[in-house]
Amino acid sequence: QVQLVESGGNLVQPGGSLTLSCAASGFIFSLYTMEWHRQAPGKQREWVASISRGGITNYANSVKGRFTISRDNAKNTVYLQMNSLKVEDTAVYYCKISTGQGDYWGQGTQVTVSS
């Protein structure tokens, strides 16, 4: 079955950096677009970034120029490099895949940006 396991969340000061990882299994990773989403307290979950199977990337305006999504098909892993973090980046970060059978989400990893 499809499994997505995020890791790398932590407490970081404003202006700091973190790299999140999402390890995938149960499907042919290289064939699918992978996405990162986030949900801040009291807010709806929002899309952050995506990377196609061909490596084309897209970003939400709020993170463009600060975050970088990448993938390693040999490791079945997608990454989110986050730089210049802001307090408003505080959220639970999730990876997601959409297949013909539906959408699959990981359990999330907490990122807290605070001084």
Side-chain angles (χ1 to χ4, degrees), residues 12-40:
V12 63
Q13 292 187 339
S17 298
L18 276 177
T19 299
L20 306 183
S21 301
C22 172
S25 61
F27 62 100
I28 304 175
F29 179 81
S30 61
L31 296 183
Y32 291 92
T33 293
M34 298 299 298
E35 301 176 2
W36 283 99
H37 296 247
R38 67 185 181 186
Q39 187 166 18

Side-chain angles (χ1 to χ4, degrees), residues 30-100:
S30 61
L31 296 183
Y32 291 92
T33 293
M34 298 299 298
E35 301 176 2
W36 283 99
H37 296 247
R38 67 185 181 186
Q39 187 166 18
K43 295 187 177 181
Q44 288 190 332
R45 195 171 297 188
E46 64 175 357
W47 168 78
V48 173
S50 60
I51 183 167
S52 72
R53 63 181 186 176
I56 296 172
T57 59
N58 286 285
Y59 299 93
N61 287 337
S62 58
V63 306
K64 199 172 294 183
R66 300 188 297 121
F67 290 12
T68 302
I69 188 172
S70 61
R71 66 191 299 159
D72 185 335
N73 290 339
K75 295 183 178 180
N76 286 0
T77 301
V78 60
Y79 304 96
L80 187 68
Q81 171 70 44
M82 306 185 294
N83 298 326
S84 302
L85 282 161
K86 304 176 181 180
V87 171
E88 51 264 42
D89 294 319
T90 295
V92 179
Y93 285 71
Y94 301 88
C95 61
K96 176 195 171 187
I97 178 181
S98 297
T99 73

